Amino acid sequence: MAASKKAVLGPLVGAVDQGTSSTRFLVFNSRTAELLSHHQVEIKQEFPREGWVEQDPKEILHCVYECIAKTCEKLGQLNIGISNIKAIGVSNQRETTVVWDKITGEPLYNAVVWLELKTQSTVESLSKRIPGNNNFVKSKTGLPLSTYFSAVKLHWLLDNVRKVQKAVEGKRALFGTIDSWLIWSLTGGVNGGVHCTDVTNASRTMLFNIHSLEWDKQLCEFFGIPMEILPHVRSSSEIYGLMEAGALEGVPISGCSGDQSAALVGQMCFQIGQAKNTYGTGCFLLCNTCHKCVFSDHGLLTTVAYKLGRDKPVYYALEGSVAIAGAVIRWLRDNLGIIKTSEEMEKLAKEVGTSYGSYFVPAFLGLYAPYWEPSARGIICGLTQFTNKCHIAFAALEAVCFHIREILDAMNRDCGIPLSHLQVDGGMTSNKILMQLQADILYIPVVKPLMPETTALGAGAAEGVDVWRLEPEDLSAVTMERFEPQINAEESEICYSTWKKAVMKSMGWVTTQSPESGDPSVFCSLPLGFFIVSSMAMLIRARYISGIP
Protein backbone atom coordinates (compact mmCIF):
# COMPACT_ATOMS: atom_id res chain seq x y z
CA MET A 1 0.00 0.00 0.00
CA ALA A 2 1.36 3.43 -0.91
CA ALA A 3 2.32 5.71 1.95
CA SER A 4 -0.14 8.50 2.74
CA LYS A 5 0.75 11.75 1.07
CA LYS A 6 2.02 14.38 3.51
CA ALA A 7 -0.04 17.57 3.70
CA VAL A 8 1.68 20.63 2.25
CA LEU A 9 0.95 23.70 4.36
CA GLY A 10 3.96 25.85 3.66
CA PRO A 11 6.53 26.81 6.32
CA LEU A 12 5.67 25.99 9.92
CA VAL A 13 7.00 27.57 13.11
CA GLY A 14 7.59 25.67 16.33
CA ALA A 15 7.57 27.27 19.77
CA VAL A 16 8.87 26.04 23.10
CA ASP A 17 6.72 27.58 25.84
CA GLN A 18 8.45 26.78 29.14
CA GLY A 19 6.22 28.05 31.95
CA THR A 20 6.17 27.89 35.72
CA SER A 21 3.88 24.87 35.92
CA SER A 22 4.27 23.20 32.54
CA THR A 23 6.30 22.92 29.35
CA ARG A 24 4.68 22.95 25.92
CA PHE A 25 5.80 22.66 22.34
CA LEU A 26 3.44 24.09 19.73
CA VAL A 27 3.55 24.18 15.94
CA PHE A 28 1.84 26.92 13.92
CA ASN A 29 1.09 27.57 10.28
CA SER A 30 3.19 30.67 9.66
CA ARG A 31 0.73 32.04 7.10
CA THR A 32 -2.45 31.85 9.17
CA ALA A 33 -1.27 31.47 12.81
CA GLU A 34 -3.36 28.28 13.03
CA LEU A 35 -2.22 25.99 15.85
CA LEU A 36 -1.66 22.62 14.17
CA SER A 37 -0.44 20.49 17.06
CA HIS A 38 1.05 20.67 20.52
CA HIS A 39 2.06 18.61 23.53
CA GLN A 40 2.27 19.61 27.18
CA VAL A 41 4.03 18.15 30.22
CA GLU A 42 3.58 19.31 33.81
CA ILE A 43 6.69 20.47 35.70
CA LYS A 44 7.35 19.36 39.28
CA GLN A 45 8.01 21.85 42.05
CA GLU A 46 10.38 21.25 44.96
CA PHE A 47 9.87 22.93 48.35
CA PRO A 48 12.96 22.37 50.54
CA ARG A 49 11.77 24.90 53.14
CA GLU A 50 8.93 27.29 53.67
CA GLY A 51 9.16 30.09 51.14
CA TRP A 52 11.52 28.13 48.85
CA VAL A 53 10.32 27.07 45.39
CA GLU A 54 12.74 25.22 43.12
CA GLN A 55 12.74 23.12 39.94
CA ASP A 56 15.13 20.62 38.38
CA PRO A 57 16.78 22.20 35.28
CA LYS A 58 17.47 18.73 33.81
CA GLU A 59 13.81 17.79 34.15
CA ILE A 60 12.83 21.01 32.40
CA LEU A 61 15.19 20.19 29.53
CA HIS A 62 13.94 16.58 29.35
CA CYS A 63 10.34 17.85 29.19
CA VAL A 64 11.24 20.15 26.29
CA TYR A 65 12.67 17.22 24.32
CA GLU A 66 9.64 15.09 25.20
CA CYS A 67 7.19 17.77 24.09
CA ILE A 68 9.03 18.25 20.80
CA ALA A 69 9.08 14.50 20.11
CA LYS A 70 5.40 13.99 20.99
CA THR A 71 4.29 16.98 18.92
CA CYS A 72 6.23 15.70 15.93
CA GLU A 73 4.53 12.30 16.34
CA LYS A 74 1.12 14.00 16.35
CA LEU A 75 2.01 15.95 13.20
CA GLY A 76 2.93 12.65 11.54
CA GLN A 77 -0.50 11.27 12.44
CA LEU A 78 -1.99 14.32 10.71
CA ASN A 79 0.16 13.62 7.64
CA ILE A 80 2.10 16.85 8.20
CA GLY A 81 5.81 16.47 7.54
CA ILE A 82 8.08 17.84 10.25
CA SER A 83 10.49 18.97 7.55
CA ASN A 84 8.05 21.88 7.10
CA ILE A 85 9.18 23.26 10.48
CA LYS A 86 11.65 25.97 9.51
CA ALA A 87 12.21 27.81 12.79
CA ILE A 88 11.82 27.40 16.55
CA GLY A 89 11.17 30.10 19.13
CA VAL A 90 11.74 29.86 22.88
CA SER A 91 9.42 31.51 25.40
CA ASN A 92 10.11 31.05 29.09
CA GLN A 93 9.21 31.81 32.68
CA ARG A 94 11.23 34.90 33.48
CA GLU A 95 13.59 35.60 36.41
CA THR A 96 13.96 31.90 37.33
CA THR A 97 17.70 31.41 37.86
CA VAL A 98 20.03 28.56 36.83
CA VAL A 99 23.80 28.13 37.30
CA TRP A 100 25.54 25.22 35.57
CA ASP A 101 29.00 23.80 34.83
CA LYS A 102 30.03 24.45 31.22
CA ILE A 103 32.51 21.55 31.30
CA THR A 104 30.15 18.83 32.54
CA GLY A 105 26.85 20.40 31.53
CA GLU A 106 25.46 19.68 35.01
CA PRO A 107 23.34 22.21 36.94
CA LEU A 108 25.11 23.25 40.14
CA TYR A 109 21.85 23.78 42.04
CA ASN A 110 18.14 23.60 41.35
CA ALA A 111 16.54 26.38 39.34
CA VAL A 112 15.45 29.07 41.81
CA VAL A 113 11.90 29.99 40.74
CA TRP A 114 10.79 33.60 40.25
CA LEU A 115 8.13 33.63 42.99
CA GLU A 116 10.14 32.16 45.87
CA LEU A 117 11.23 34.07 48.95
CA LYS A 118 14.51 32.60 50.22
CA THR A 119 16.26 35.88 49.37
CA GLN A 120 14.10 38.23 51.48
CA SER A 121 16.86 38.92 54.02
CA THR A 122 19.31 39.38 51.11
CA VAL A 123 17.02 42.08 49.71
CA GLU A 124 16.77 43.77 53.09
CA SER A 125 20.56 43.77 53.47
CA LEU A 126 21.20 45.09 49.96
CA SER A 127 18.54 47.79 50.22
CA LYS A 128 20.47 49.41 53.07
CA ARG A 129 23.36 49.99 50.67
CA ILE A 130 21.34 52.00 48.15
CA PRO A 131 21.59 55.78 48.73
CA GLY A 132 18.20 57.32 49.44
CA ASN A 133 18.77 60.12 46.95
CA ASN A 134 20.24 57.91 44.21
CA ASN A 135 18.43 54.64 43.57
CA PHE A 136 20.81 53.63 40.79
CA VAL A 137 19.33 50.11 40.71
CA LYS A 138 15.86 51.31 39.72
CA SER A 139 17.11 54.08 37.43
CA LYS A 140 19.24 51.62 35.44
CA THR A 141 16.92 48.59 35.49
CA GLY A 142 13.40 49.98 35.90
CA LEU A 143 12.88 47.47 38.74
CA PRO A 144 12.44 47.73 42.51
CA LEU A 145 14.84 45.74 44.67
CA SER A 146 12.83 42.55 45.25
CA THR A 147 13.09 38.78 45.69
CA TYR A 148 11.31 38.57 42.32
CA PHE A 149 14.35 39.24 40.14
CA SER A 150 17.37 37.10 39.21
CA ALA A 151 20.25 39.15 40.67
CA VAL A 152 19.33 38.51 44.31
CA LYS A 153 18.78 34.80 43.58
CA LEU A 154 22.21 34.58 41.96
CA HIS A 155 23.74 36.54 44.85
CA TRP A 156 22.24 33.99 47.26
CA LEU A 157 23.60 31.05 45.25
CA LEU A 158 27.09 32.57 45.23
CA ASP A 159 26.94 33.12 48.98
CA ASN A 160 25.39 29.80 50.03
CA VAL A 161 26.17 27.00 47.55
CA ARG A 162 29.75 25.71 47.65
CA LYS A 163 29.46 23.96 44.25
CA VAL A 164 28.56 27.30 42.68
CA GLN A 165 31.42 29.07 44.45
CA LYS A 166 33.97 26.47 43.32
CA ALA A 167 32.73 26.55 39.70
CA VAL A 168 33.03 30.35 39.63
CA GLU A 169 36.54 30.17 41.09
CA GLY A 170 37.46 27.58 38.45
CA LYS A 171 36.00 29.66 35.58
CA ARG A 172 33.53 26.85 34.84
CA ALA A 173 30.23 28.46 35.87
CA LEU A 174 27.56 29.82 33.53
CA PHE A 175 24.46 31.72 34.64
CA GLY A 176 21.19 32.12 32.84
CA THR A 177 17.46 32.39 33.07
CA ILE A 178 15.58 29.37 31.70
CA ASP A 179 15.89 30.55 28.09
CA SER A 180 19.70 30.58 28.35
CA TRP A 181 19.82 27.10 29.89
CA LEU A 182 17.56 25.71 27.14
CA ILE A 183 19.28 27.40 24.19
CA TRP A 184 22.75 26.38 25.45
CA SER A 185 21.59 22.78 25.89
CA LEU A 186 19.58 22.55 22.64
CA THR A 187 22.44 23.97 20.53
CA GLY A 188 25.03 21.48 21.75
CA GLY A 189 25.67 22.09 25.44
CA VAL A 190 29.24 21.10 26.32
CA ASN A 191 29.91 20.61 22.60
CA GLY A 192 29.68 24.24 21.55
CA GLY A 193 26.32 25.28 22.99
CA VAL A 194 25.42 28.95 22.52
CA HIS A 195 25.36 30.87 25.81
CA CYS A 196 22.96 33.74 25.15
CA THR A 197 19.78 35.45 26.25
CA ASP A 198 17.58 38.11 24.71
CA VAL A 199 16.99 41.68 25.83
CA THR A 200 13.59 40.91 27.41
CA ASN A 201 14.94 38.21 29.72
CA ALA A 202 18.10 40.20 30.45
CA SER A 203 15.96 43.13 31.56
CA ARG A 204 14.46 40.96 34.33
CA THR A 205 17.77 40.03 35.95
CA MET A 206 18.40 43.42 37.64
CA LEU A 207 21.91 43.31 36.16
CA PHE A 208 21.01 44.81 32.77
CA ASN A 209 21.03 48.49 31.89
CA ILE A 210 17.81 48.97 29.92
CA HIS A 211 19.13 52.23 28.39
CA SER A 212 22.47 50.98 27.02
CA LEU A 213 21.13 47.42 26.51
CA GLU A 214 24.24 45.97 28.12
CA TRP A 215 25.22 44.21 31.33
CA ASP A 216 26.06 46.95 33.80
CA LYS A 217 29.39 46.83 35.64
CA GLN A 218 28.14 48.90 38.59
CA LEU A 219 25.12 46.64 39.09
CA CYS A 220 27.23 43.48 38.85
CA GLU A 221 29.63 44.86 41.45
CA PHE A 222 26.73 45.85 43.72
CA PHE A 223 25.25 42.34 43.62
CA GLY A 224 28.66 40.64 43.66
CA ILE A 225 28.19 38.95 40.28
CA PRO A 226 31.24 38.12 38.09
CA MET A 227 30.42 39.36 34.60
CA GLU A 228 32.16 36.44 32.85
CA ILE A 229 29.35 34.04 33.87
CA LEU A 230 26.66 36.13 32.16
CA PRO A 231 25.19 35.16 28.76
CA HIS A 232 25.68 37.22 25.61
CA VAL A 233 22.67 39.52 25.09
CA ARG A 234 20.99 39.40 21.69
CA SER A 235 17.75 40.60 20.11
CA SER A 236 14.47 38.71 20.48
CA SER A 237 14.45 37.56 16.86
CA GLU A 238 17.55 36.26 15.12
CA ILE A 239 19.25 32.92 14.53
CA TYR A 240 21.08 31.91 17.72
CA GLY A 241 22.06 28.41 16.63
CA LEU A 242 20.76 25.09 15.32
CA MET A 243 19.07 22.25 17.16
CA GLU A 244 21.79 19.64 17.71
CA ALA A 245 19.66 16.65 18.73
CA GLY A 246 16.15 15.26 18.74
CA ALA A 247 13.45 15.11 16.11
CA LEU A 248 14.17 18.63 14.84
CA GLU A 249 17.95 18.44 14.57
CA GLY A 250 19.28 21.14 12.25
CA VAL A 251 16.29 23.50 12.63
CA PRO A 252 17.38 27.04 13.63
CA ILE A 253 16.39 28.50 16.99
CA SER A 254 15.55 31.98 15.83
CA GLY A 255 13.27 33.56 18.43
CA CYS A 256 13.67 34.11 22.17
CA SER A 257 11.52 36.11 24.54
CA GLY A 258 10.32 36.11 28.12
CA ASP A 259 6.78 34.77 28.23
CA GLN A 260 5.08 38.10 28.95
CA SER A 261 6.94 39.93 26.21
CA ALA A 262 6.14 37.06 23.85
CA ALA A 263 2.46 37.46 24.71
CA LEU A 264 2.64 41.21 24.03
CA VAL A 265 4.04 40.45 20.57
CA GLY A 266 1.57 37.62 20.03
CA GLN A 267 -1.30 39.98 20.85
CA MET A 268 0.22 42.39 18.31
CA CYS A 269 0.45 45.26 20.77
CA PHE A 270 2.94 47.06 18.54
CA GLN A 271 1.59 50.60 19.01
CA ILE A 272 2.16 52.95 21.92
CA GLY A 273 -0.57 52.54 24.54
CA GLN A 274 -1.63 49.05 23.47
CA ALA A 275 -1.76 46.60 26.36
CA LYS A 276 -2.38 42.95 27.12
CA ASN A 277 -2.96 40.95 30.29
CA THR A 278 -1.91 37.31 30.67
CA TYR A 279 -3.74 35.15 33.24
CA GLY A 280 -1.42 32.37 34.33
CA THR A 281 -0.01 31.27 37.68
CA GLY A 282 0.17 35.03 38.22
CA CYS A 283 -1.17 37.93 36.17
CA PHE A 284 0.98 40.23 34.07
CA LEU A 285 -0.32 43.40 32.43
CA LEU A 286 2.05 45.05 29.94
CA CYS A 287 1.53 48.32 28.09
CA ASN A 288 3.70 49.25 25.11
CA THR A 289 5.44 52.62 25.65
CA CYS A 290 7.26 52.43 22.31
CA HIS A 291 10.90 53.63 22.34
CA LYS A 292 10.52 55.55 25.59
CA CYS A 293 11.34 54.26 29.08
CA VAL A 294 8.39 55.40 31.21
CA PHE A 295 9.23 55.21 34.90
CA SER A 296 6.26 54.61 37.15
CA ASP A 297 5.26 56.72 40.12
CA HIS A 298 2.57 54.19 41.03
CA GLY A 299 4.30 50.87 41.68
CA LEU A 300 4.74 49.52 38.15
CA LEU A 301 7.88 48.14 36.51
CA THR A 302 9.71 49.50 33.48
CA THR A 303 10.91 46.68 31.26
CA VAL A 304 12.09 45.84 27.75
CA ALA A 305 9.11 44.76 25.65
CA TYR A 306 10.94 43.40 22.57
CA LYS A 307 13.62 44.00 19.96
CA LEU A 308 12.62 42.08 16.84
CA GLY A 309 15.98 41.89 15.08
CA ARG A 310 19.63 42.84 15.55
CA ASP A 311 19.25 46.15 13.75
CA LYS A 312 15.67 46.85 14.85
CA PRO A 313 14.81 49.41 17.55
CA VAL A 314 14.07 48.39 21.12
CA TYR A 315 10.56 48.82 22.52
CA TYR A 316 9.75 49.26 26.20
CA ALA A 317 6.72 48.51 28.37
CA LEU A 318 5.20 49.36 31.70
CA GLU A 319 4.31 46.22 33.61
CA GLY A 320 2.11 45.38 36.55
CA SER A 321 2.75 41.96 38.11
CA VAL A 322 0.34 39.98 40.32
CA ALA A 323 1.90 36.95 42.01
CA ILE A 324 -1.28 34.90 42.51
CA ALA A 325 -3.98 34.46 39.88
CA GLY A 326 -4.49 30.93 38.55
CA ALA A 327 -2.68 29.63 41.63
CA VAL A 328 -5.66 30.63 43.79
CA ILE A 329 -7.88 28.16 41.92
CA ARG A 330 -5.42 25.36 42.52
CA TRP A 331 -5.25 26.40 46.19
CA LEU A 332 -9.02 26.17 46.54
CA ARG A 333 -8.87 22.71 44.97
CA ASP A 334 -5.88 21.19 46.74
CA ASN A 335 -5.89 22.96 50.11
CA LEU A 336 -9.56 23.60 50.87
CA GLY A 337 -11.18 20.95 48.65
CA ILE A 338 -13.87 23.39 47.49
CA ILE A 339 -13.51 22.11 43.91
CA LYS A 340 -12.25 18.84 42.45
CA THR A 341 -11.18 20.22 39.07
CA SER A 342 -10.19 23.67 37.87
CA GLU A 343 -13.16 23.66 35.50
CA GLU A 344 -15.60 23.49 38.44
CA MET A 345 -14.65 27.02 39.45
CA GLU A 346 -16.76 28.59 36.73
CA LYS A 347 -19.72 26.34 37.52
CA LEU A 348 -19.72 27.23 41.24
CA ALA A 349 -19.41 30.96 40.53
CA LYS A 350 -22.22 30.80 37.99
CA GLU A 351 -24.59 29.15 40.49
CA VAL A 352 -24.73 32.28 42.68
CA GLY A 353 -23.50 35.07 40.40
CA THR A 354 -22.25 37.04 43.40
CA SER A 355 -19.79 36.89 46.29
CA TYR A 356 -22.59 38.07 48.61
CA GLY A 357 -20.38 40.75 50.12
CA SER A 358 -17.33 38.58 50.76
CA TYR A 359 -13.90 39.64 49.54
CA PHE A 360 -10.87 37.43 49.00
CA VAL A 361 -7.33 38.86 48.97
CA PRO A 362 -5.01 35.98 47.93
CA ALA A 363 -1.79 37.63 49.09
CA PHE A 364 -0.13 34.26 49.65
CA LEU A 365 3.30 35.67 48.76
CA GLY A 366 2.71 39.21 49.91
CA LEU A 367 1.54 41.76 47.38
CA TYR A 368 3.35 42.60 44.14
CA ALA A 369 2.31 45.62 42.05
CA PRO A 370 1.29 48.26 42.83
CA TYR A 371 2.07 47.79 46.56
CA TRP A 372 5.27 45.69 46.73
CA GLU A 373 4.33 44.76 50.29
CA PRO A 374 5.92 41.49 51.49
CA SER A 375 4.15 41.62 54.88
CA ALA A 376 0.69 41.00 53.38
CA ARG A 377 -1.02 37.61 53.63
CA GLY A 378 -4.25 36.13 52.32
CA ILE A 379 -7.60 36.92 53.91
CA ILE A 380 -11.30 36.40 53.28
CA CYS A 381 -13.51 39.07 54.83
CA GLY A 382 -17.18 40.01 54.92
CA LEU A 383 -18.26 36.46 55.79
CA THR A 384 -21.74 35.73 57.16
CA GLN A 385 -23.61 32.55 58.09
CA PHE A 386 -25.10 32.66 54.59
CA THR A 387 -21.70 32.50 52.85
CA ASN A 388 -21.01 29.20 51.08
CA LYS A 389 -18.34 27.74 48.80
CA CYS A 390 -20.00 29.20 45.70
CA HIS A 391 -19.62 32.72 47.11
CA ILE A 392 -15.98 32.01 47.97
CA ALA A 393 -15.36 30.76 44.42
CA PHE A 394 -16.96 33.91 43.02
CA ALA A 395 -14.90 36.10 45.38
CA ALA A 396 -11.69 34.37 44.27
CA LEU A 397 -12.42 35.19 40.63
CA GLU A 398 -13.32 38.75 41.57
CA ALA A 399 -10.00 39.03 43.42
CA VAL A 400 -8.03 38.39 40.23
CA CYS A 401 -10.06 41.06 38.44
CA PHE A 402 -9.70 43.60 41.25
CA HIS A 403 -5.93 43.14 41.22
CA ILE A 404 -5.91 43.92 37.51
CA ARG A 405 -8.09 47.00 38.10
CA GLU A 406 -5.50 48.29 40.58
CA ILE A 407 -2.72 47.79 38.06
CA LEU A 408 -4.73 49.33 35.21
CA ASP A 409 -5.48 52.41 37.32
CA ALA A 410 -1.76 52.80 38.05
CA MET A 411 -0.94 52.34 34.38
CA ASN A 412 -3.50 54.94 33.31
CA ARG A 413 -2.02 57.46 35.77
CA ASP A 414 1.53 56.79 34.56
CA CYS A 415 0.67 56.88 30.85
CA GLY A 416 -1.97 59.60 30.97
CA ILE A 417 -4.03 57.84 28.28
CA PRO A 418 -6.71 55.49 29.69
CA LEU A 419 -7.07 52.17 27.88
CA SER A 420 -10.18 51.85 25.74
CA HIS A 421 -10.12 48.03 26.00
CA LEU A 422 -7.94 45.25 27.42
CA GLN A 423 -6.56 42.38 25.35
CA VAL A 424 -6.21 39.12 27.30
CA ASP A 425 -4.64 35.68 26.98
CA GLY A 426 -3.60 32.74 29.14
CA GLY A 427 -5.18 29.61 30.55
CA MET A 428 -7.75 31.34 32.78
CA THR A 429 -9.36 33.17 29.86
CA SER A 430 -11.43 30.05 29.09
CA ASN A 431 -13.48 30.98 32.18
CA LYS A 432 -16.27 33.17 30.79
CA ILE A 433 -17.41 34.29 34.25
CA LEU A 434 -13.90 35.62 34.92
CA MET A 435 -13.79 37.45 31.61
CA GLN A 436 -17.20 39.08 32.17
CA LEU A 437 -16.22 40.05 35.71
CA GLN A 438 -13.04 41.61 34.36
CA ALA A 439 -15.02 43.75 31.91
CA ASP A 440 -17.45 44.80 34.67
CA ILE A 441 -14.74 45.68 37.19
CA LEU A 442 -12.59 47.57 34.66
CA TYR A 443 -15.67 49.06 33.03
CA ILE A 444 -14.07 48.69 29.61
CA PRO A 445 -14.39 45.86 27.05
CA VAL A 446 -12.18 42.79 27.39
CA VAL A 447 -11.00 41.27 24.10
CA LYS A 448 -9.83 37.66 23.92
CA PRO A 449 -8.34 35.84 20.91
CA LEU A 450 -10.14 32.61 20.13
CA MET A 451 -6.68 31.06 19.66
CA PRO A 452 -5.35 31.77 23.19
CA GLU A 453 -1.75 30.54 22.72
CA THR A 454 -0.36 34.00 22.03
CA THR A 455 2.60 33.55 24.38
CA ALA A 456 3.97 30.79 22.17
CA LEU A 457 2.84 32.61 19.03
CA GLY A 458 4.96 35.62 19.97
CA ALA A 459 7.95 33.37 20.62
CA GLY A 460 7.69 32.03 17.09
CA ALA A 461 8.80 35.31 15.48
CA ALA A 462 11.68 34.20 13.28
CA GLU A 463 13.79 36.86 11.64
CA GLY A 464 16.38 35.43 9.32
CA VAL A 465 14.36 32.50 8.00
CA ASP A 466 11.63 34.54 6.25
CA VAL A 467 8.55 32.60 7.38
CA TRP A 468 6.96 34.89 9.99
CA ARG A 469 6.30 38.61 10.01
CA LEU A 470 3.71 39.00 12.79
CA GLU A 471 1.79 41.62 10.87
CA PRO A 472 -1.97 41.88 11.43
CA GLU A 473 -2.75 41.25 7.77
CA ASP A 474 -0.65 38.07 7.87
CA LEU A 475 -2.50 36.67 10.88
CA SER A 476 -6.09 37.44 10.02
CA ALA A 477 -7.16 34.01 11.27
CA VAL A 478 -6.73 35.13 14.88
CA THR A 479 -10.33 36.09 15.60
CA MET A 480 -11.51 37.73 18.82
CA GLU A 481 -14.23 37.32 21.44
CA ARG A 482 -15.40 40.52 23.14
CA PHE A 483 -16.86 40.98 26.63
CA GLU A 484 -18.69 44.27 27.27
CA PRO A 485 -19.37 45.72 30.78
CA GLN A 486 -22.84 44.71 32.00
CA ILE A 487 -23.12 46.69 35.23
CA ASN A 488 -23.26 50.43 35.77
CA ALA A 489 -20.14 52.40 36.61
CA GLU A 490 -21.35 53.34 40.12
CA GLU A 491 -21.87 49.71 41.12
CA SER A 492 -18.43 48.84 39.78
CA GLU A 493 -16.80 51.64 41.81
CA ILE A 494 -18.51 50.60 45.06
CA CYS A 495 -17.25 47.02 44.72
CA TYR A 496 -13.76 48.22 43.90
CA SER A 497 -13.53 50.62 46.86
CA THR A 498 -14.61 47.82 49.23
CA TRP A 499 -11.93 45.56 47.75
CA LYS A 500 -9.29 48.20 48.47
CA LYS A 501 -10.39 48.27 52.13
CA ALA A 502 -9.83 44.50 52.25
CA VAL A 503 -6.36 44.89 50.72
CA MET A 504 -5.40 47.36 53.45
CA LYS A 505 -6.49 44.82 56.07
CA SER A 506 -4.31 42.12 54.47
CA MET A 507 -1.12 44.08 55.11
CA GLY A 508 1.13 43.80 58.14
CA TRP A 509 0.34 40.19 59.03
CA VAL A 510 3.97 39.09 58.98
CA THR A 511 5.80 40.74 61.85
CA THR A 512 9.03 38.75 61.49
CA GLN A 513 10.20 36.68 58.57
CA SER A 514 13.32 34.63 57.98
CA PRO A 515 12.79 32.32 54.98
CA GLU A 516 16.50 31.56 54.75
CA SER A 517 16.51 29.94 58.18
CA GLY A 518 13.34 28.03 57.44
CA ASP A 519 11.50 29.65 60.36
CA PRO A 520 7.73 29.98 59.88
CA SER A 521 6.22 33.41 59.49
CA VAL A 522 4.85 34.99 62.64
CA PHE A 523 1.45 36.57 62.21
CA CYS A 524 -0.30 39.31 64.12
CA SER A 525 -3.34 38.34 66.19
CA LEU A 526 -6.52 37.83 64.20
CA PRO A 527 -8.90 40.83 64.17
CA LEU A 528 -12.66 40.26 64.41
CA GLY A 529 -14.36 39.77 61.05
CA PHE A 530 -11.34 38.41 59.24
CA PHE A 531 -10.24 34.88 58.59
CA ILE A 532 -6.72 33.92 57.57
CA VAL A 533 -7.05 31.52 54.67
CA SER A 534 -3.44 30.99 53.77
CA SER A 535 0.14 30.97 54.83
CA MET A 536 3.18 30.60 52.63
CA ALA A 537 3.35 26.90 53.40
CA MET A 538 -0.15 26.33 52.03
CA LEU A 539 0.71 27.84 48.69
CA ILE A 540 4.06 26.21 48.13
CA ARG A 541 2.77 22.76 49.00
CA ALA A 542 0.10 23.09 46.32
CA ARG A 543 0.88 22.19 42.74
CA TYR A 544 0.04 24.88 40.22
CA ILE A 545 -2.71 24.72 37.63
CA SER A 546 -1.80 22.45 34.76
CA GLY A 547 -1.50 24.30 31.48
CA ILE A 548 -1.10 27.81 32.86
CA PRO A 549 2.24 29.42 31.95
Side-chain angles (χ1 to χ4, degrees), residues 38-53:
H38 77 284
H39 188 78
Q40 177 174 319
V41 175
E42 195 168 323
I43 300 294
K44 295 176 184 176
Q45 309 277 343
E46 296 183 25
F47 315 115
R49 298 182 185 179
E50 184 174 337
W52 296 29
V53 187

Side-chain angles (χ1 to χ4, degrees), residues 5 54 70 102 125 183 240 252 299 320 361 483 505 532:
K5 186 176 180 180
E54 300 175 358
K70 294 291 187 182
K102 65 182 178 182
S125 175
I183 292 174
Y240 313 109
V361 184
F483 296 84
K505 293 292 185 181
I532 294 290

Side-chain angles (χ1 to χ4, degrees), residues 26 55 78 92 159 216 237 252 295 300 317-318 330 332 373 375 383 422 462 465 490 501 513 515 543 545:
L26 309 99
Q55 294 174 326
L78 295 171
N92 58 285
D159 275 357
D216 189 280
S237 185
F295 284 86
L300 304 182
L318 271 176
R330 192 62 178 257
L332 288 171
E373 180 50 69
S375 73
L383 302 177
L422 180 65
V465 290
E490 183 179 0
K501 286 170 58 180
Q513 185 173 2
R543 290 155 51 200
I545 298 175

Side-chain angles (χ1 to χ4, degrees), residues 120 124 375 377 508-515 519-524:
Q120 183 59 46
E124 292 166 1
S375 73
R377 287 297 180 269
W509 289 104
V510 179
T511 54
T512 62
Q513 185 173 2
S514 182
D519 294 338
S521 298
V522 178
F523 294 93
C524 302

Side-chain angles (χ1 to χ4, degrees), residues 18 29 53 70-71 81 108 189 193 200 210 268 282 344 414 416 446 470 480 498 518 529:
Q18 204 298 297
N29 185 324
V53 187
K70 294 291 187 182
T71 302
L108 298 168
T200 68
I210 61 174
M268 296 188 215
E344 284 183 40
D414 282 326
V446 169
L470 282 181
M480 303 289 182
T498 309

Side-chain angles (χ1 to χ4, degrees), residues 94-95 141-143 149 199-205 210 260-261 264 285-287 289-290 292-295 300-306 314-320:
R94 303 173 301 172
E95 300 95 16
T141 67
L143 310 173
F149 307 107
V199 289
T200 68
N201 281 295
S203 75
R204 310 298 291 193
T205 62
I210 61 174
Q260 303 312 319
S261 292
L264 190 75
L285 199 161
L286 273 70
C287 179
T289 62
C290 203
K292 181 180 179 182
C293 282
V294 176
F295 284 86
L300 304 182
L301 311 178
T302 305
T303 196
V304 175
Y306 54 84
V314 64
Y315 284 73
Y316 296 94
L318 271 176
E319 175 175 338

Side-chain angles (χ1 to χ4, degrees), residues 350-372:
K350 190 174 182 180
E351 279 185 32
V352 290
T354 177
S355 66
Y356 199 73
S358 58
Y359 288 83
F360 191 162
V361 184
F364 300 150
L365 293 160
L367 292 167
Y368 279 20
Y371 300 101
W372 299 102

Side-chain angles (χ1 to χ4, degrees), residues 161-333:
V161 180
R162 183 57 187 152
K163 287 173 67 176
V164 173
Q165 295 166 354
K166 289 179 68 175
V168 169
E169 291 165 4
K171 308 296 183 183
R172 295 181 290 108
L174 296 179
F175 153 78
T177 43
I178 293 295
D179 58 303
S180 297
W181 163 246
L182 292 180
I183 292 174
W184 183 84
S185 300
L186 295 173
T187 57
V190 297
N191 298 311
V194 178
H195 186 217
C196 70
T197 189
D198 89 303
V199 289
T200 68
N201 281 295
S203 75
R204 310 298 291 193
T205 62
M206 206 175 267
L207 300 169
F208 186 69
N209 189 314
I210 61 174
H211 310 287
S212 66
L213 302 183
E214 296 176 336
W215 299 120
D216 189 280
K217 183 178 180 181
Q218 183 185 15
L219 291 171
C220 289
E221 289 175 349
F222 176 74
F223 288 104
I225 309 301
M227 296 186 74
E228 62 267 19
I229 73 172
L230 303 178
H232 179 58
V233 182
R234 300 171 71 169
S235 76
S236 307
S237 185
E238 60 180 271
I239 295 176
Y240 313 109
L242 305 180
M243 290 282 291
E244 289 295 324
L248 297 180
E249 184 176 353
V251 177
I253 298 175
S254 53
C256 176
S257 186
D259 50 9
Q260 303 312 319
S261 292
L264 190 75
V265 171
Q267 288 271 26
M268 296 188 215
C269 296
F270 295 135
Q271 303 300 317
I272 189 169
Q274 289 185 316
K276 69 87 202 173
N277 188 53
T278 298
Y279 300 77
T281 299
C283 265
F284 304 91
L285 199 161
L286 273 70
C287 179
N288 191 331
T289 62
C290 203
H291 307 303
K292 181 180 179 182
C293 282
V294 176
F295 284 86
S296 175
D297 295 320
H298 303 96
L300 304 182
L301 311 178
T302 305
T303 196
V304 175
Y306 54 84
K307 186 177 187 293
L308 296 178
R310 298 182 194 181
D311 302 320
K312 297 295 179 66
V314 64
Y315 284 73
Y316 296 94
L318 271 176
E319 175 175 338
S321 306
V322 175
I324 302 299
V328 74
I329 298 178
R330 192 62 178 257
W331 182 85
L332 288 171
R333 190 192 78 179

